[in-house]
C-alpha cells in the first residue's frame, strides 16, 4: 500500500476493523470524528488510488478494502534499425537525461511525506520544487505570495536575508487553501546555498496545526449543536439553535439555511428577513458549493458578493461563505454566511461543516421517522378499506366510504375516484374535499395526461414536490399547495377499471413496502367492485328467469 496521509490512514484503519454494515458514509464520519465533506473527499481519493471500492446498498454506498491484483504486462518487442554513428550523441544525451530523471524521481520520493508540506522557493518567492502533499492543497500555485499574506511574506523575506548555513528558523503562518480561507501551519526554513555560500533559496517544511487548534469553546459549541440535533422538537427549532451556535464559530451578519425542494433551492431558515430577496443573486454561488460538495467563498470584488452588498445595501460585508449540507454523496442544502471578516480559518470552516452534518443527520432521521409513520398508516388504511368493503355492496356507497376511509387513514386532505364508463373512458364518480377549481377540472377530464402515466405503468404513481415529475403537473395542482399526489389503479384481474386519486399539502415519505401496501388498496377495491357488479348481474338474470 502506498504512503497515506493521516486522514487516509484513519479511514482505511476504520474500514479494516469494522464490519461491512458500519462502513457507510454516516458511520465512517462519526467513527473518525471528521466532517462528511472531509470523509467523502478522502473516500473518493482512496477509491481513485485503488485502495477502496464500494457497492450500493439501497441508496447508500458500502465501502470496503479493495484487493488489487497486479496484471502481467504484455511485452512487445519489435526490431529497431539504428544508425549507431548518427545517433551516438542522441544516445549519450538520452542517457544523461535518464540519469537526471532517475535522480529526480528518487529525490521526489524522499520528500513525498503525506503529513508535511515540503517545497522550495527562490529569493523572489517563486515556488521551484514541491512534494505531492503541497500540490494537493495548493495546486498550480507559482509564487508564495499567492498563498500567504503580504505581512507574512515581508517577515519571511526579512528572515531570509539573515539566514546562514546553520540556521533553522521555525514560525507559524496561515496559508490560503481557497479564496479567503486559511489553514495554520508551523513551518521550518533552511537556506539553500550556492558554491559561494550565498543564499539562493529556502527549503520550507510545513506541519498543519488545524487539529490542535480547536479550542475548548469550539468543542463546546459543536457539542451544543449535536445535543440540539438529538433533542430538537422541530426542524425550525434545530435550525434556530444551530445558527446561534454557528455565530460563535464564524461571527456573521446574516445567515440563511437553504434546502433542496423538487430540485429547486429554497430558504428553509433565515436569521434576518432582509435575506429573503437574496436567492436569485446567490443561487449560482450556492449551486457551485453543492455540486462540488465543498465550501466556497467570495470576497470583495467578487461578482456574487458585490451583487449581495448592493441588494442588502450593506457595504460592511466583506466575505460570503457557502457550506454544503451533505447526505450520502450529494448535497441537500447549504448554509450561507455573510460576514464582515475578510478571511476565516479552515478550522472554522470544518466546524461549520460538522454543524451541517448534524443538520443533515436530523433531516435524514426525520425522513426515516416519517417513512415509519406512513408505513403504519398504510397498514391502517388496508384494514379500514377491508372493513368498508365487507360492510356494503351498494357501489355508490362503497365508493363514498372507500375514498373517505383511505384519505383519513393516510392523512390526505382530498381524494376522488374515477371509474370506466360504458365507453371505457374514465369518469369522475365520487370526490371528497376537492377545491372548487380542481373539482371542475376533474369533471371536465383535464387530467387525462396525468392518468395515462398510471395506465402505461400499470402501477401506482407517487409524486411529491421533491420529484422531477412535479414540475409537469397542472399549475392548478401546485397552486392549491398539493405537495404529495397518489394515483392508485383500481384493478379487476389484469385490467385497470378505475383510479383512486389523493392529494396532500404535506410531503409524504413512502418506502417500497409502503407503496406495495398502497397498491393492494386498489386491488381490494377492484375486487369488491367486481363482486358487487357480479351480484347485481346475477340478481338481474334471476329476476328475468323468474318473469319467464
Amino acid at each position: 500500500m502506498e504512503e497515506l496521509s493521516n486522514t487516509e490512514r484513519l479511514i482505511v484503519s476504520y474500514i479494516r476493523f469494522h464490519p461491512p454494515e458500519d462502513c457507510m458514509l454516516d458511520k465512517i464520519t462519526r467513527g473518525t470524528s471528521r466532517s462528511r465533506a472531509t470523509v467523502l473527499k478522502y473516500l473518493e481519493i482512496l477509491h481513485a488510488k485503488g485502495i477502496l471500492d464500494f457497492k450500493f446498498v439501497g441508496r447508500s454506498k458500502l465501502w470496503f478494502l479493495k484487493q488489487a491484483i497486479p496484471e502481467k504486462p504484455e511485452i512487445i518487442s519489435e526490431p529497431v534499425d539504428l544508425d549507431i554513428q548518427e545517433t551516438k550523441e542522441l544516445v549519450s544525451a538520452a542517457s544523461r537525461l535518464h540519469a537526471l530523471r532517475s535522480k529526480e524521481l528518487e529525490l521526489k520520493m524522499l520528500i513525498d511525506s503525506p503529513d508535511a508540506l515540503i517545497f522550495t522557493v527562490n529569493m523572489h518567492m517563486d515556488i521551484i520544487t514541491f512534494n505531492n502533499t503541497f500540490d494537493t492543497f495548493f495546486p498550480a500555485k507559482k509564487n508564495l505570495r499567492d498563498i500567504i499574506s503580504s505581512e507574512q511574506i515581508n517577515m519571511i523575506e526579512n528572515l531570509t536575508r539573515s539566514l546562514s548555513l546553520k540556521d533553522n528558523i521555525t514560525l507559524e503562518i496561515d496559508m490560503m487553501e481557497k479564496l479567503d480561507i486559511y489553514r495554520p501551519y508551523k513551518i521550518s526554513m533552511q537556506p539553500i546555498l550556492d558554491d559561494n555560500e550565498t543564499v539562493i533559496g529556502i527549503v520550507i517544511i510545513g506541519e498543519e496545526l488545524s487539529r490542535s487548534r480547536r479550542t475548548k469553546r469550539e468543542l463546546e459549541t459543536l457539542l451544543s449543536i449535536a445535543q440540539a440535533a438529538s433533542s430538537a422538537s422541530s426542524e425550525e427549532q434545530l435550525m434556530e439553535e444551530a445558527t446561534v451556535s454557528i455565530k460563535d464559530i464564524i461571527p456573521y451578519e446574516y445567515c440563511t439555511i437553504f434546502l433542496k425542494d423538487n430540485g429547486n433551492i429554497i430558504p428553509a431558515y433565515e436569521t434576518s428577513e432582509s435575506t429573503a430577496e437574496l436567492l436569485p443573486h446567490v443561487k449560482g454561488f450556492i449551486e457551485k458549493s453543492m455540486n462540488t460538495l465543498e465550501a466556497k467563498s467570495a470576497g470583495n470584488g467578487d461578482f456574487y458578493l458585490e451583487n449581495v452588498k448592493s441588494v442588502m445595501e450593506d457595504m460592511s460585508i466583506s466575505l460570503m461563505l457557502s457550506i454544503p449540507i451533505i447526505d450520502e454523496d450529494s448535497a441537500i442544502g447549504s448554509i450561507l454566511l455573510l460576514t464582515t471578516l475578510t478571511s476565516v480559518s479552515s478550522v472554522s470552516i470544518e466546524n461549520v461543516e460538522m454543524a451541517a452534518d448534524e443538520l443533515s443527520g436530523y433531516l435524514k432521521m426525520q425522513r426515516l421517522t416519517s417513512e415509519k409513520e406512513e408505513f403504519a398508516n398504510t397498514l391502517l388504511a388496508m384494514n379500514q378499506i377491508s372493513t368498508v368493503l365487507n360492510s356494503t355492496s351498494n357501489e355508490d356507497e362503497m365508493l363514498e366510504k372507500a375514498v373517505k376511509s383511505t384519505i383519513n387513514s393516510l392523512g390526505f386532505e382530498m381524494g376522488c375516484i374515477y371509474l370506466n364508463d360504458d365507453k371505457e373512458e374514465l369518469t369522475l364518480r365520487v370526490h371528497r374535499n376537492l377545491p372548487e377549481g380542481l373539482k371542475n377540472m376533474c369533471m371536465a377530464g383535464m387530467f387525462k395526461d396525468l392518468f395515462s402515466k398510471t395506465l402505461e405503468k400499470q402501477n401506482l404513481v407517487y409524486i411529491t414536490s421533491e420529484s422531477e415529475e412535479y414540475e409537469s403537473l397542472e399549475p392548478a395542482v401546485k397552486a392549491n399547495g398539493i405537495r404529495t399526489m397518489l394515483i392508485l389503479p383500481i384493478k379487476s384481474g389484469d385490467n385497470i377499471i378505475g383510479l383512486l386519486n389523493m392529494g396532500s399539502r404535506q410531503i409524504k415519505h413512502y418506502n417500497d413496502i409502503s407503496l406495495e401496501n398502497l397498491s393492494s388498496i386498489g386491488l381490494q377495491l377492484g375486487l369488491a367492485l367486481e363482486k358487487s357488479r357480479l351480484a347485481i348481474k346475477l340478481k338481474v338474470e334471476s329476476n328475468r328467469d323468474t318473469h319467464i
Side-chain angles (χ1 to χ4, degrees):
M1 186 180 293
E2 62 182 279
E3 190 72 17
L4 302 178
S5 69
N6 283 338
T7 302
E8 288 171 333
R9 281 199 296 267
L10 183 64
I11 292 172
V12 169
S13 176
Y14 176 91
I15 292 174
R16 177 181 289 121
F17 295 109
H18 284 79
E21 63 270 19
D22 287 345
C23 294
M24 295 183 184
L25 178 61
D26 281 351
K27 291 189 177 181
I28 297 173
T29 299
R30 288 194 294 271
T32 57
S33 299
R34 300 290 190 268
S35 71
R36 261 190 189 85
T38 299
V39 171
L40 187 57
K41 177 177 74 174
Y42 282 104
L43 284 172
E44 295 299 339
I45 290 172
L46 289 166
H47 180 251
K49 289 181 176 180
I51 296 169
L52 294 184
D53 205 348
F54 64 85
K55 63 179 178 181
F56 280 100
V57 178
R59 294 192 295 259
S60 302
K61 287 180 179 177
L62 184 69
W63 293 90
F64 55 89
L65 291 175
K66 182 178 181 181
Q67 300 298 324
I69 303 173
E71 297 181 0
K72 289 185 178 180
E74 183 180 357
I75 301 173
I76 301 174
S77 60
E78 295 180 359
V80 179
D81 295 328
L82 291 176
D83 187 332
I84 302 300
Q85 191 65 31
E86 291 180 3
T87 59
K88 186 175 181 180
E89 289 186 6
L90 291 176
V91 171
S92 176
S95 298
R96 292 198 303 274
L97 181 59
H98 174 83
L100 289 172
R101 287 289 173 84
S102 297
K103 188 64 176 176
E104 181 184 15
L105 287 173
E106 181 184 338
L107 294 172
K108 271 189 170 292
M109 289 178 65
L110 288 174
I111 68 169
D112 196 18
S113 167
D115 295 323
L117 304 178
I118 302 175
F119 61 103
T120 66
V121 296
N122 62 18
M123 301 308 288
H124 301 292
M125 298 295 123
D126 296 319
I127 298 166
I128 307 301
T129 61
F130 48 83
N131 67 352
N132 288 337
T133 306
F134 181 91
D135 192 39
T136 298
F137 289 103
F138 307 101
K141 298 302 181 185
K142 304 298 183 184
N143 192 284
L144 204 53
R145 291 180 176 84
D146 297 334
I147 54 178
I148 295 179
S149 67
S150 56
E151 293 83 0
Q152 291 185 332
I153 282 288
N154 291 335
M155 178 176 62
I156 290 173
E157 286 180 328
N158 290 334
L159 290 170
T160 301
R161 296 189 189 100
S162 61
L163 278 175
S164 65
L165 180 60
K166 295 182 180 180
D167 286 335
N168 184 356
I169 297 176
T170 300
L171 66 154
E172 294 183 7
I173 60 171
D174 294 321
M175 301 176 72
M176 186 171 67
E177 288 186 359
K178 301 173 189 175
L179 180 65
D180 299 321
I181 298 176
Y182 289 82
R183 187 179 295 272
Y185 284 89
K186 181 173 73 173
I187 65 169
S188 63
M189 302 191 308
Q190 289 187 319
I192 302 172
L193 307 178
D194 63 10
D195 294 339
N196 298 320
E197 296 196 352
T198 302
V199 177
I200 59 172
I202 316 167
V203 175
I204 300 176
I205 300 177
E207 179 187 354
E208 182 190 340
L209 295 175
S210 298
R211 300 300 171 195
S212 61
R213 285 295 181 89
R214 197 162 272 128
T215 65
K216 180 181 178 182
R217 178 168 180 170
E218 287 173 329
L219 292 172
E220 289 173 346
T221 300
L222 292 174
L223 179 60
S224 70
I225 296 173
Q227 289 172 336
S230 63
S231 62
S233 59
S234 68
E235 181 180 307
E236 184 177 4
Q237 182 190 346
L238 172 60
M239 290 185 177
E240 180 181 358
E241 292 185 23
T243 51
V244 170
S245 296
I246 288 171
K247 195 163 190 174
D248 290 335
I249 299 170
I250 298 178
Y252 59 76
E253 298 301 309
Y254 309 95
C255 173
T256 303
I257 298 175
F258 292 94
L259 294 177
K260 261 188 180 178
D261 185 1
N262 185 33
N264 297 317
I265 299 171
I266 60 169
Y269 185 84
E270 42 199 2
T271 57
S272 169
E273 293 181 0
S274 307
T275 59
E277 55 191 26
L278 271 185
L279 183 56
H281 305 280
V282 300
K283 185 178 178 184
F285 177 70
I286 293 170
E287 286 176 339
K288 284 183 181 178
S289 171
M290 292 173 64
N291 291 338
T292 58
L293 301 180
E294 61 180 12
K296 294 291 182 184
S297 62
N300 285 321
D302 184 278
F303 170 78
Y304 286 112
L305 183 59
E306 294 305 319
N307 271 352
V308 166
K309 290 198 284 189
S310 176
V311 171
M312 302 289 291
E313 297 182 349
D314 188 346
M315 295 298 115
S316 69
I317 300 169
S318 300
L319 187 63
M320 177 166 65
L321 299 165
S322 174
I323 293 90
I325 302 170
I326 299 171
D327 179 24
E328 295 299 335
D329 53 0
S330 63
I332 59 171
S334 170
I335 300 173
L336 185 75
L337 303 176
L338 303 176
T339 176
T340 56
L341 300 175
T342 55
S343 64
V344 296
S345 75
S346 60
V347 181
S348 297
I349 294 293
E350 288 176 3
N351 288 340
V352 179
E353 286 176 344
M354 289 185 175
D357 288 349
E358 294 296 340
L359 284 174
S360 174
Y362 178 85
L363 295 171
K364 184 175 183 178
M365 189 57 64
Q366 261 196 331
R367 182 185 181 90
L368 292 174
T369 301
S370 174
E371 285 185 4
K372 184 177 178 181
E373 291 173 351
E374 298 302 346
F375 171 72
N377 289 339
T378 62
L379 296 177
L380 176 62
M382 290 168 64
N383 183 61
Q384 294 286 357
I385 194 72
S386 179
T387 302
V388 166
L389 298 179
N390 289 326
S391 65
T392 181
S393 58
N394 179 277
E395 185 169 300
D396 290 333
E397 183 183 357
M398 182 190 300
L399 296 176
E400 286 281 359
K401 288 184 175 180
V403 71
K404 178 183 178 181
S405 167
T406 306
I407 65 173
N408 287 345
S409 300
L410 295 175
F412 279 73
E413 288 88 354
M414 61 196 78
C416 62
I417 292 178
Y418 284 76
L419 290 181
N420 282 340
D421 59 17
D422 295 337
K423 298 178 182 179
E424 293 297 313
E425 292 185 356
L426 288 170
T427 304
L428 181 66
R429 289 288 302 271
V430 297
H431 59 83
R432 190 169 187 84
N433 301 336
L434 285 181
E436 192 65 27
L438 286 180
K439 182 175 72 174
N440 293 335
M441 292 179 72
C442 288
M443 296 177 71
M446 298 289 287
F447 296 107
K448 288 183 179 179
D449 289 343
L450 178 61
F451 298 158
S452 66
K453 291 183 180 179
T454 305
L455 299 176
E456 288 171 11
K457 290 174 61 178
Q458 291 286 307
N459 204 346
L460 66 77
V461 170
Y462 165 50
I463 300 173
T464 74
S465 58
E466 297 174 341
S467 310
E468 291 182 7
E469 302 97 319
Y470 188 78
E471 282 302 312
S472 63
L473 293 180
E474 289 285 343
V477 174
K478 292 180 276 189
N480 279 279
I482 296 175
R483 303 189 72 192
T484 299
M485 196 167 198
L486 271 177
I487 305 176
L488 309 183
I490 301 171
K491 288 187 174 183
S492 175
D494 293 331
N495 299 319
I496 294 178
I497 62 172
L499 299 172
L500 169 55
N501 308 315
M502 292 171 284
S504 173
R505 294 187 174 91
Q506 305 294 324
I507 294 180
K508 301 281 187 179
H509 294 117
Y510 294 111
N511 56 31
D512 291 342
I513 299 175
S514 295
L515 293 175
E516 287 179 12
N517 291 344
L518 291 170
S519 294
S520 73
I521 293 174
L523 294 176
Q524 289 184 70
L525 185 53
L527 182 60
L529 287 170
E530 187 178 4
K531 287 182 177 179
S532 172
R533 291 173 178 180
L534 181 60
I536 293 172
K537 183 179 178 180
L538 291 173
K539 184 176 181 181
V540 170
E541 290 177 354
S542 175
N543 289 338
R544 186 169 58 239
D545 292 342
T546 301
H547 289 303
I548 292 173

